[in-house]
């Protein structure tokens, strides 16, 4: 039976990613259409939040909850909050005082399309509105609160913001592989891992399951980051929607700059396999989809 | 009996404000000492969060919870989260792209003491860490979640961030009193009101009590903002800890610029009285303290 097959091909993975991404997309627009928001701020928030993208993080959250029988609709307000926090981080990363990027998803970055003050405020508002949205899940309050706590940790000073600070400090310096791993475990890894773990927390999953999903999310995060670094080297600006080769130009530390392209590709595959292994205890379509997503992450660069 | 006296004098109000502020102060330091935070980011967060101040907003939250018999200690993680969000907003407001202020609480503003990227990240991290801290209250999860939802609303696009966007847009333009009222209801009013309301939500207060406290908080917020505008005119830089007269210099819309000093003073007193009236249903020390705080807010400028 097809539904019992544990090895989904890329076409099937991409089809479900698209379908669930569409579900997220439909709900996201309602997260940034509040009547009380001043027009220019709302426009700026919508510009970046509704600029497309695969919506990988919210889909991970929906799918992790699905492992425990919770319907995607129940988790949507939380999953959309995750995407709002991811989006705010992109807006702030692009600012002149940070990476000073003019292009994002093939369009002017937020502070270029609007102005710097509005871009800062759009990011700040997206973060607050994200936590608001997360509280709206129609699930037991203790589970929602546990998930919110885990996600706030991943977004804060010991997670994403801490990683971005290290990235700023170390740009232009030569660092060791272990430093780079630490930086990315915070900067991109924490949010990816939390997206998976929060789906399970929302569903009230037990300790063993949480540990397995945390391991999956951590390995997925590394595989994803290596693939992202490789794409910056081998892809072109049009495909990326942001300037290709910008990591090298900005003297960023990346996996290819430290390990070279071939060893980076091997490492990405290795982490994708580790992610799949961590899900061995789980069965069914949602588990197969999560395993497929790990491979999908690295097949883009192999 | 002194404890039953409903009209506290200024000395008594200031003494309890200091005592409860001290309680907040002691807990605040633990909110920004996490082992996993990169050193420079942590230093920047501590620099602004532990720079003193009366801690009015968290004290309002503790005291509102006290009206319903909840001990201050139970509410501290939430109250400190409020102060963290207030602090992040000051850091971001001072940025070159916003008010471009070099001085805050008598010291260089955060981006002057560190750098712009770190100041942006310290603000972002304080916001996320604030919501994390709020989840730690040892009270029924449904009540914590309701308070968190109310506070996120007040901090987001329909509250504080929306107000700051209007402030940026309207600086240098002449606006009507009703516009100024709307701006401040969002920019400073929403957080002050939510500080009071969240104390009550954490304590599981009923609809009528919530409505009365919301009315108190709204009036207090207006009284507070008018007093703040007046102080910018009549005080000096040393007392303020930030450049006096900067509102006029930056062509900001303020109550004195629209109404003149005398009419502004009258209006502040009127709103302080309205705040006190809203608390008529409540008795005891916490109620008397809240009423006293309303007067304290405006007596600074009368």
């Amino acid at each position: 039976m097809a539904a019992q097959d544990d090895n989904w091909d890329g076409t099937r993975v991409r089809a479900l990613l698209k379908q669930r991404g569409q579900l997220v997309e439909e709900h996201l627009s309602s997260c940034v259409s509040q009547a009380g928001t001043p027009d220019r701020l709302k426009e700026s928030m919508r510009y970046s939040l509704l600029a497309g993208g695969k919506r990988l993080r919210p889909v991970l959250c929906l799918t992790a909850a699905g492992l425990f029988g919770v319907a995607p609709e129940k988790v949507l307000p939380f999953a959309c909050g995750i995407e709002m926090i991811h989006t705010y981080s992109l807006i702030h990363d692009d600012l002149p005082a940070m990476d000073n990027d003019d292009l994002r998803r093939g369009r002017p970055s937020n502070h270029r399309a609007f102005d710097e003050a509005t871009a800062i405020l759009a990011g700040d508002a997206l973060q607050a509105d994200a936590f608001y949205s997360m509280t709206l899940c129609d699930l037991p309050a203790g589970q929602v609160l546990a998930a919110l706590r885990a996600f706030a940790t991943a977004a804060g000073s010991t997670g994403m913001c801490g990683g971005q600070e290290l990235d700023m400090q170390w740009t232009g310096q030569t660092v060791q592989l272990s430093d780079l791993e630490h930086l990315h475990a915070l900067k991109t890894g924490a949010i990816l891992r939390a997206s998976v773990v929060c789906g399970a927390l929302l569903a009230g999953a037990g300790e063993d399951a949480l540990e397995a999903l945390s391991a999956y999310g951590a390995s997925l995060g590394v595989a994803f980051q290596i693939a992202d670094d490789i794409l910056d080297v081998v892809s072109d600006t049009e495909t990326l929607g942001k300037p290709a080769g910008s990591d090298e130009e900005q003297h960023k530390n990346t996996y290819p700059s430290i390990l070279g392209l071939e060893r980076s590709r091997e490492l990405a595959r290795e982490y994708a396999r580790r992610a799949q292994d961590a899900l061995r205890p789980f069965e069914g379509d949602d588990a197969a989809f999560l395993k497929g997503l790990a491979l999908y992450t690295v097949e883009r660069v192999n």
Side-chain angles (χ1 to χ4, degrees), chain A:
Chain A
M1 252 165 64
Q4 294 302 316
D5 180 5
D6 209 32
N7 286 304
W8 286 20
D9 63 15
T11 314
R12 196 162 171 199
V13 171
R14 278 190 295 275
L16 192 51
L17 177 56
K18 194 174 167 186
Q19 185 192 316
R20 295 210 164 150
Q22 191 55 40
L23 195 65
V24 170
E25 205 67 43
E26 283 158 20
H27 190 80
L28 264 185
S29 178
S30 73
C31 297
V32 276
S33 56
Q34 284 164 286
T37 309
D39 288 344
R40 188 176 170 81
L41 182 62
K42 190 192 290 184
E43 210 188 320
S44 166
M45 293 165 74
R46 294 180 69 88
Y47 177 83
S48 291
L49 187 66
L50 307 179
K54 290 180 294 297
R55 314 305 190 188
L56 176 63
R57 292 159 191 80
V59 170
L60 285 170
C61 182
L62 298 180
T63 308
L67 288 174
F68 307 94
V70 173
E73 288 73 15
K74 288 252 179 193
V75 186
L76 263 183
F78 198 100
C80 286
I82 294 177
E83 189 70 9
M84 291 162 84
I85 284 182
H86 174 58
T87 300
Y88 112 69
S89 77
L90 301 180
I91 297 175
H92 282 192
D93 282 5
D94 286 342
L95 286 168
M98 304 270 240
D99 289 347
N100 195 20
D101 275 326
D102 291 341
L103 211 56
R104 168 72 66 182
R105 299 198 204 273
R107 302 188 306 166
S109 48
N110 196 293
H111 65 278
R112 300 289 290 177
F114 295 86
D115 55 80
E116 224 180 302
T118 300
I120 294 169
L121 286 167
D124 290 347
L126 278 168
Q127 179 166 201
D129 291 4
F131 285 113
Y132 167 78
S133 183
M134 288 177 177
T135 69
L136 299 180
C137 283
D138 183 22
L139 289 163
Q143 290 163 211
V144 177
L145 205 57
L148 206 151
R149 184 181 304 138
F151 204 85
T153 306
S157 67
T158 61
M160 183 178 72
C161 290
Q164 178 67 5
E165 172 73 18
L166 294 179
D167 194 11
M168 292 289 102
Q169 276 177 38
W170 292 346
T171 295
Q173 294 177 29
T174 306
V175 304
Q176 308 231 305
L177 183 60
S178 59
D179 292 328
L180 188 71
E181 284 169 346
H182 177 56
L183 187 166
H184 286 307
L186 272 58
K187 186 179 166 176
T188 54
I191 291 287
L192 276 165
R193 195 174 64 84
S195 300
V196 180
V197 169
C198 286
L201 285 169
L202 287 169
E207 271 310 315
D208 287 354
L210 286 170
E211 222 168 276
L213 284 166
S214 175
Y216 165 81
S219 290
L220 181 79
V222 181
F224 182 86
Q225 184 59 48
I226 302 175
D228 215 52
D229 284 359
I230 295 174
L231 276 180
D232 190 74
V233 178
V234 303
S235 193
D236 54 60
T237 299
E238 198 182 334
T239 312
L240 283 180
K242 59 186 178 184
S246 68
D247 287 343
E248 198 182 343
E249 197 179 305
Q250 294 187 31
H251 306 286
K252 292 256 180 197
N253 290 286
T254 67
Y255 285 93
S257 77
I258 293 181
L259 296 176
L261 268 179
E262 263 329 291
R263 178 77 191 103
S264 297
R265 284 196 173 102
E266 277 167 32
L267 202 61
R269 279 193 297 267
E270 191 184 315
Y271 274 101
R273 269 192 302 270
R274 284 193 206 174
Q276 294 187 310
D277 285 350
L279 287 192
R280 240 182 267 168
F282 298 95
E283 289 177 347
D285 275 3
D286 286 307
F289 180 44
L290 288 175
K291 288 174 195 167
L293 278 174
L295 264 196
Y296 162 81
T297 295
V298 298
E299 79 179 4
R300 302 178 292 163
V301 295
N302 275 292

